[in-house]
Amino acid sequence: MSATYLGMPGFPPPSHPAFPSFPQAAREAVRDETLRGNLRHATHTIRAKRAGAVAELADWAALREAGKQIKDHTLRHLDRYLEQVEEAVTAAGGTVHWAVDAQEANRIVAGLVRATGETEVVKVKSMATQEIGLNEALEAEGIRAYETDLAELIVQLGKDRPSHILVPAIHRNRGEIRDIFRSQMSAWGRPAPEGLTDAPAELAEAARLHLREKFLRARVGVSGANFVVAETGTLVVVESEGNGRMCLTLPETLISVVGIEKVVPTWRDLEVFLQTLPRSSTAERMNPYTSMWTGTADEDGPSTFHLVLLDNGRTDTLADEVGRQALRCIRCSACLNVCPVYERVGGHAYGSVYPGPIGAILSPQLRGTASEIDASLPYASSLCGACYEVCPVAIDIPEVLVHLRERVVQGGPVTRGGNRVVLQPAKGHAAERAAMRVARWALTHPGVLRGGQRLASRTRRFHPRSLPGPGRAWTGTRDLPAVPAEPFRDWWQRTHGDGEGSE
Amino acid sequence: MSSRERILGRVRRALADVPQDDTPYAQAVCRDYLRQHGDHGAEETVDLLAENLVDYRAVVHRCAAGELPGLIAHLLGERGSQSVLVPPGLDESWLADTDVKRVADLPDSTPHELDRIDSVITGCALAVAETGTLVLDGSPDQGRRRISLIPDHHICVVRVPEQVVSSIPQALERLAPGRPLTWISGPSATSDIELDRVEGVHGPRTLEVVLVSG
């Protein structure tokens, strides 16, 4: 965008060259009719089902409140609980590593894989490893990472980017998936069966056959975790297909990369999240498989277990009094499925592995607002509030969006890389700030306001339909409001005035 | 400074604005949600379990203890299984009526070997009625996690009503966190194609649950 756009910021050279600003990406996306059809179909399918699954539980509101309180309490004492996790996991036979950022996490994982002598790993779907770009980092070290979740497989085979937290290939319909399987599977291993159709059951079968040999020979598994229980050192992975169980139990070495906000204090806390997470994400009473493990077990599953605790911007997010609630997120993706903006533009426009409403508040906090995409994300919303309504841990996403908009426009103190810094106001908003300064001056000087309004009324025939100069971007998506023939205050004076006049 | 110290230091600085709060955790969270949904008797709870298992495409059978060996023989025969994987502590009498080849899960048996076995029979730690869930905890009648994963046909025996709880909170109370746990709700499935549920991906595609009473 070249012009100043007052409703949405346009920014100087982006530090993420791959990602254009949200409005720019969105403009492309909404023109893709296949994409819009796919998203509409998928999000509408899940919306009604989620509502039904939630309605089955009479105590939903109480579960939601408890989930919020558990997470808030944990975040408030996060240092203590992280130390407890370390102690419990170590006592159970695991090894704990700490990674300040993506680079360090990738280095740790690559080193651990290399130490096994293996050159391939099987992966359970994990947001944390997506976030840090682990697959690419391993590739650079000569280690091939195989995604085993069906949707991740579709994304990996299609050399694509994920567009949804739960269903990264939501932007693909069954026909597109069949085409990707037919053309790409052979390059990665077992080819797609002859005559593969687009029936979902056949596509699932093709994935089963393709991945089976990889599971059976795998020596190293890489996962994330949905929860880590501090008091016991237990990790929990919630999944559907069984690929998670394969990766968590068959390899000799298991490496789990987990964000530091995934901790819950006690075993009992799972009783809340195991009720709210499946219903919020896939609208099921319970997902098909949940695995829980504590360190290593005698002769059952991996004999070596590594836990990599990942910061990568989370402590910076924790330092923001309003924004820290984003760390309560349990990655259910209910907010994506109800979002009118997400439904129309899809996940790629958000320029992050975290798309949708939660991504719009998480990415600019984890990465900072320096890049074009991150500064535009807080505006990727109509503030309708549907996301807050469905959130199982009651994250007030609209509140954080408005807070982040303020930060982008006005600048102010933030924490980046553990240091307090003062953010400059965004350049793209100079015209907006100037307009606001003029407005403030006019509104505090009644004579000026009156004179200006009269001038505007008398010249109304000559008003353009759109603004010139920096204002052009504002009227690019809006009509300039029509000015009345007579200012309201003059009309009031004329029809209701006490005759004394104000002049 | 180590990364550990850096992260913990950042956490402490990030929380500098938060007032000191030493409420014990037991009082920090309001847990006024339900311990179970609805008040069911033991028999109704078992019915609810069966209903929810079927809803997620598990095949449910009910029988008395004496009928179990016959039923298992029938299920293996119907499936055409040539071999069945048996956990080390499974009640031998369950297999009294079948001559299908029994295979033990040996410490050195490879995943490839297990992949050639048609069926597996296990017990369970407990079952959750409200969600139609079976929980395996690696006890001798259930074996290692991998044996209930690799064969395509899983027969799971639940003793009713004593192994059935109503809800997730009740299930967690009865489970030991230190054990490797697998929660199973129906056969393997995916919602990855157009967010619609399809059964049958990597785990056993057929899950048969036998509810044994008496």
Side-chain angles (χ1 to χ4, degrees), chain B residues 8-28:
Chain B
L8 290 173
R10 285 180 183 187
V11 169
R12 288 175 191 129
R13 284 199 301 280
L15 294 168
D17 69 293
V18 180
Q20 195 68 26
D21 170 38
D22 295 319
T23 318
Y25 186 55
Q27 281 128 55

mmCIF file of all heavy atoms in Angstrom, chain B residues 8-28:
data_model
loop_
_atom_site.group_PDB
_atom_site.id
_atom_site.type_symbol
_atom_site.label_atom_id
_atom_site.label_comp_id
_atom_site.label_asym_id
_atom_site.label_seq_id
_atom_site.Cartn_x
_atom_site.Cartn_y
_atom_site.Cartn_z
ATOM 1 N N LEU B 8 13.526 -17.680 33.646
ATOM 2 C CA LEU B 8 12.912 -17.483 34.968
ATOM 3 C C LEU B 8 13.014 -16.016 35.399
ATOM 4 O O LEU B 8 12.080 -15.462 35.980
ATOM 5 C CB LEU B 8 13.566 -18.409 36.004
ATOM 6 C CG LEU B 8 13.245 -19.897 35.816
ATOM 7 C CD1 LEU B 8 14.071 -20.753 36.775
ATOM 8 C CD2 LEU B 8 11.748 -20.174 36.012
ATOM 9 N N GLY B 9 14.137 -15.372 35.068
ATOM 10 C CA GLY B 9 14.306 -13.955 35.385
ATOM 11 C C GLY B 9 13.292 -13.092 34.633
ATOM 12 O O GLY B 9 12.690 -12.180 35.194
ATOM 13 N N ARG B 10 13.089 -13.413 33.368
ATOM 14 C CA ARG B 10 12.109 -12.663 32.573
ATOM 15 C C ARG B 10 10.702 -12.838 33.129
ATOM 16 O O ARG B 10 9.913 -11.898 33.155
ATOM 17 C CB ARG B 10 12.132 -13.142 31.118
ATOM 18 C CG ARG B 10 13.337 -12.653 30.337
ATOM 19 C CD ARG B 10 13.260 -13.171 28.915
ATOM 20 N NE ARG B 10 14.426 -12.781 28.148
ATOM 21 C CZ ARG B 10 14.548 -12.996 26.836
ATOM 22 N NH1 ARG B 10 13.587 -13.613 26.180
ATOM 23 N NH2 ARG B 10 15.620 -12.611 26.189
ATOM 24 N N VAL B 11 10.386 -14.060 33.528
ATOM 25 C CA VAL B 11 9.058 -14.305 34.098
ATOM 26 C C VAL B 11 8.873 -13.431 35.341
ATOM 27 O O VAL B 11 7.854 -12.766 35.503
ATOM 28 C CB VAL B 11 8.878 -15.797 34.462
ATOM 29 C CG1 VAL B 11 7.616 -16.004 35.303
ATOM 30 C CG2 VAL B 11 8.823 -16.668 33.207
ATOM 31 N N ARG B 12 9.886 -13.394 36.203
ATOM 32 C CA ARG B 12 9.751 -12.631 37.457
ATOM 33 C C ARG B 12 9.626 -11.139 37.175
ATOM 34 O O ARG B 12 8.815 -10.456 37.789
ATOM 35 C CB ARG B 12 10.932 -12.927 38.376
ATOM 36 C CG ARG B 12 10.830 -14.339 38.953
ATOM 37 C CD ARG B 12 12.026 -14.766 39.785
ATOM 38 N NE ARG B 12 11.906 -16.200 40.050
ATOM 39 C CZ ARG B 12 12.873 -17.091 39.832
ATOM 40 N NH1 ARG B 12 14.063 -16.707 39.379
ATOM 41 N NH2 ARG B 12 12.665 -18.371 40.067
ATOM 42 N N ARG B 13 10.408 -10.647 36.227
ATOM 43 C CA ARG B 13 10.297 -9.216 35.894
ATOM 44 C C ARG B 13 8.943 -8.909 35.255
ATOM 45 O O ARG B 13 8.344 -7.867 35.500
ATOM 46 C CB ARG B 13 11.426 -8.805 34.953
ATOM 47 C CG ARG B 13 12.777 -8.647 35.644
ATOM 48 C CD ARG B 13 13.741 -7.810 34.826
ATOM 49 N NE ARG B 13 13.992 -8.366 33.497
ATOM 50 C CZ ARG B 13 14.835 -9.380 33.258
ATOM 51 N NH1 ARG B 13 15.486 -9.948 34.264
ATOM 52 N NH2 ARG B 13 15.024 -9.821 32.039
ATOM 53 N N ALA B 14 8.449 -9.846 34.425
ATOM 54 C CA ALA B 14 7.169 -9.625 33.742
ATOM 55 C C ALA B 14 6.022 -9.521 34.740
ATOM 56 O O ALA B 14 5.013 -8.869 34.486
ATOM 57 C CB ALA B 14 6.905 -10.760 32.751
ATOM 58 N N LEU B 15 6.192 -10.170 35.888
ATOM 59 C CA LEU B 15 5.110 -10.209 36.871
ATOM 60 C C LEU B 15 5.291 -9.171 37.975
ATOM 61 O O LEU B 15 4.581 -9.195 38.980
ATOM 62 C CB LEU B 15 5.021 -11.613 37.488
ATOM 63 C CG LEU B 15 4.611 -12.721 36.510
ATOM 64 C CD1 LEU B 15 4.824 -14.086 37.123
ATOM 65 C CD2 LEU B 15 3.147 -12.550 36.097
ATOM 66 N N ALA B 16 6.220 -8.235 37.763
ATOM 67 C CA ALA B 16 6.521 -7.259 38.805
ATOM 68 C C ALA B 16 5.291 -6.441 39.201
ATOM 69 O O ALA B 16 5.168 -6.008 40.342
ATOM 70 C CB ALA B 16 7.648 -6.341 38.339
ATOM 71 N N ASP B 17 4.352 -6.236 38.258
ATOM 72 C CA ASP B 17 3.173 -5.420 38.564
ATOM 73 C C ASP B 17 2.123 -6.184 39.365
ATOM 74 O O ASP B 17 1.185 -5.603 39.889
ATOM 75 C CB ASP B 17 2.527 -4.938 37.260
ATOM 76 C CG ASP B 17 1.889 -6.086 36.482
ATOM 77 O OD1 ASP B 17 2.643 -6.952 35.997
ATOM 78 O OD2 ASP B 17 0.654 -6.138 36.387
ATOM 79 N N VAL B 18 2.260 -7.509 39.413
ATOM 80 C CA VAL B 18 1.218 -8.318 40.046
ATOM 81 C C VAL B 18 1.410 -8.320 41.558
ATOM 82 O O VAL B 18 2.494 -8.626 42.042
ATOM 83 C CB VAL B 18 1.282 -9.772 39.518
ATOM 84 C CG1 VAL B 18 0.214 -10.624 40.168
ATOM 85 C CG2 VAL B 18 1.136 -9.787 38.014
ATOM 86 N N PRO B 19 0.366 -7.956 42.302
ATOM 87 C CA PRO B 19 0.521 -7.951 43.758
ATOM 88 C C PRO B 19 0.803 -9.350 44.297
ATOM 89 O O PRO B 19 0.362 -10.347 43.722
ATOM 90 C CB PRO B 19 -0.818 -7.420 44.277
ATOM 91 C CG PRO B 19 -1.746 -7.399 43.127
ATOM 92 C CD PRO B 19 -0.962 -7.535 41.872
ATOM 93 N N GLN B 20 1.536 -9.407 45.379
ATOM 94 C CA GLN B 20 1.848 -10.669 46.046
ATOM 95 C C GLN B 20 0.549 -11.407 46.360
ATOM 96 O O GLN B 20 -0.424 -10.810 46.791
ATOM 97 C CB GLN B 20 2.608 -10.363 47.337
ATOM 98 C CG GLN B 20 3.319 -11.551 47.959
ATOM 99 C CD GLN B 20 4.493 -12.017 47.099
ATOM 100 O OE1 GLN B 20 5.068 -11.224 46.350
ATOM 101 N NE2 GLN B 20 4.828 -13.280 47.190
ATOM 102 N N ASP B 21 0.531 -12.702 46.108
ATOM 103 C CA ASP B 21 -0.685 -13.460 46.413
ATOM 104 C C ASP B 21 -0.270 -14.860 46.836
ATOM 105 O O ASP B 21 0.284 -15.613 46.049
ATOM 106 C CB ASP B 21 -1.580 -13.539 45.176
ATOM 107 C CG ASP B 21 -2.723 -14.514 45.372
ATOM 108 O OD1 ASP B 21 -3.268 -14.560 46.494
ATOM 109 O OD2 ASP B 21 -3.066 -15.236 44.416
ATOM 110 N N ASP B 22 -0.511 -15.174 48.087
ATOM 111 C CA ASP B 22 -0.077 -16.475 48.575
ATOM 112 C C ASP B 22 -1.240 -17.392 48.935
ATOM 113 O O ASP B 22 -1.112 -18.295 49.743
ATOM 114 C CB ASP B 22 0.867 -16.296 49.780
ATOM 115 C CG ASP B 22 2.152 -15.593 49.349
ATOM 116 O OD1 ASP B 22 2.657 -15.927 48.258
ATOM 117 O OD2 ASP B 22 2.624 -14.703 50.074
ATOM 118 N N THR B 23 -2.388 -17.145 48.278
ATOM 119 C CA THR B 23 -3.527 -18.038 48.497
ATOM 120 C C THR B 23 -3.112 -19.460 48.126
ATOM 121 O O THR B 23 -2.567 -19.667 47.051
ATOM 122 C CB THR B 23 -4.702 -17.649 47.570
ATOM 123 O OG1 THR B 23 -4.812 -16.233 47.561
ATOM 124 C CG2 THR B 23 -5.992 -18.289 48.008
ATOM 125 N N PRO B 24 -3.348 -20.434 49.009
ATOM 126 C CA PRO B 24 -3.015 -21.817 48.620
ATOM 127 C C PRO B 24 -3.823 -22.214 47.380
ATOM 128 O O PRO B 24 -4.958 -21.759 47.211
ATOM 129 C CB PRO B 24 -3.445 -22.646 49.833
ATOM 130 C CG PRO B 24 -3.830 -21.700 50.895
ATOM 131 C CD PRO B 24 -3.965 -20.338 50.319
ATOM 132 N N TYR B 25 -3.224 -23.059 46.530
ATOM 133 C CA TYR B 25 -3.867 -23.349 45.247
ATOM 134 C C TYR B 25 -5.263 -23.938 45.411
ATOM 135 O O TYR B 25 -6.161 -23.667 44.622
ATOM 136 C CB TYR B 25 -2.986 -24.279 44.408
ATOM 137 C CG TYR B 25 -3.550 -24.489 43.032
ATOM 138 C CD1 TYR B 25 -3.826 -23.395 42.210
ATOM 139 C CD2 TYR B 25 -3.838 -25.761 42.546
ATOM 140 C CE1 TYR B 25 -4.365 -23.553 40.950
ATOM 141 C CE2 TYR B 25 -4.374 -25.931 41.276
ATOM 142 C CZ TYR B 25 -4.638 -24.827 40.487
ATOM 143 O OH TYR B 25 -5.175 -24.989 39.239
ATOM 144 N N ALA B 26 -5.431 -24.735 46.458
ATOM 145 C CA ALA B 26 -6.732 -25.370 46.680
ATOM 146 C C ALA B 26 -7.854 -24.332 46.774
ATOM 147 O O ALA B 26 -9.008 -24.624 46.447
ATOM 148 C CB ALA B 26 -6.691 -26.227 47.934
ATOM 149 N N GLN B 27 -7.513 -23.102 47.224
ATOM 150 C CA GLN B 27 -8.556 -22.076 47.335
ATOM 151 C C GLN B 27 -8.511 -21.064 46.191
ATOM 152 O O GLN B 27 -9.353 -20.177 46.102
ATOM 153 C CB GLN B 27 -8.396 -21.321 48.655
ATOM 154 C CG GLN B 27 -8.945 -22.088 49.853
ATOM 155 C CD GLN B 27 -7.914 -22.201 50.964
ATOM 156 O OE1 GLN B 27 -7.386 -21.187 51.424
ATOM 157 N NE2 GLN B 27 -7.633 -23.417 51.388
ATOM 158 N N ALA B 28 -7.530 -21.173 45.329
ATOM 159 C CA ALA B 28 -7.333 -20.143 44.307
ATOM 160 C C ALA B 28 -8.315 -20.266 43.144
ATOM 161 O O ALA B 28 -8.578 -19.306 42.439
ATOM 162 C CB ALA B 28 -5.903 -20.202 43.779
#
